[in-house]
Amino acid sequence: MSGAKGIIFAAVIIWIAAVLEQSISPKMSIFGAQPDFLLIVLACLCMFASRIGGAMLGFFTGLAAGSITGANLSQFIFSRTITGFADAWSRTMGLDSNIVTAAINAAVVTIASQLILMFFAPPAGIAMFVGATIGSAMVNGVLAMPVHALLRRILAP
């Protein structure tokens, strides 16, 4: 994913994820765990990006997430940028890009970004926040499999 086509494609995918996050994510709650479509897209796109691309994807994903929630943008941008950079950097470890790796990657990205967010914007109930984060990580891992399969068809050489 590079060049103008890659930037436009990533922007469209992030915008679609933001729309899904706002419209159907609250209705897809499974035992209190809601999917985070922006983190799913971040995790899947970073599997095809460089470190700088991962940081940029994280920045714009954090911007979209903060804009949707109406919270302080800096906390979302910082947590997603660090997570996107680390996720794109982790692909240099030589892991095979398949749907199982995408599921684990999405779960780890969800937990890492939410924990970073928790330290910069402490929630009222930390135990409930951590429980919701773990549930969301499992849901995101499951939903990342078809997203990764679709993106691999489009982005992989």
Side-chain angles (χ1 to χ4, degrees):
M1 180 172 67
S2 62
K5 287 172 69 174
I7 292 170
I8 292 169
F9 180 76
V12 168
I13 293 296
I14 290 172
W15 182 76
I16 290 171
V19 169
L20 291 174
E21 182 77 27
Q22 187 69 24
S23 61
I24 67 170
S25 182
K27 296 173 183 146
M28 290 182 63
S29 179
I30 301 170
F31 299 117
Q34 295 180 358
D36 191 335
F37 291 105
L38 288 165
L39 285 176
I40 293 169
V41 165
L42 177 65
C44 291
L45 282 176
C46 282
M47 294 184 80
F48 301 101
S50 65
R51 290 179 287 201
I52 294 172
M56 288 176 56
L57 287 168
F59 176 85
F60 288 109
T61 303
L63 182 66
S67 298
I68 287 171
T69 60
N72 189 351
L73 291 177
S74 62
Q75 299 154 350
F76 281 96
I77 289 174
F78 181 75
S79 67
R80 279 22 177 205
T81 302
I82 295 297
T83 307
F85 177 79
D87 187 23
W89 194 2
S90 69
R91 85 179 179 128
T92 61
M93 291 189 299
L95 296 174
D96 188 28
S97 179
N98 57 31
I99 59 172
V100 175
T101 308
I104 295 169
N105 184 40
V108 169
V109 163
T110 301
I111 290 172
S113 65
Q114 291 295 89
L115 287 179
I116 293 170
L117 181 66
M118 181 181 75
F119 285 111
F120 286 98
I126 291 180
M128 290 181 59
F129 180 80
V130 170
T133 298
I134 292 170
S136 180
M138 290 188 287
V139 171
N140 288 353
V142 171
L143 291 176
M145 290 190 274
V147 171
H148 180 269
L150 178 66
L151 290 177
R152 193 163 115 193
R153 280 233 170 199
I154 296 169
L155 298 176

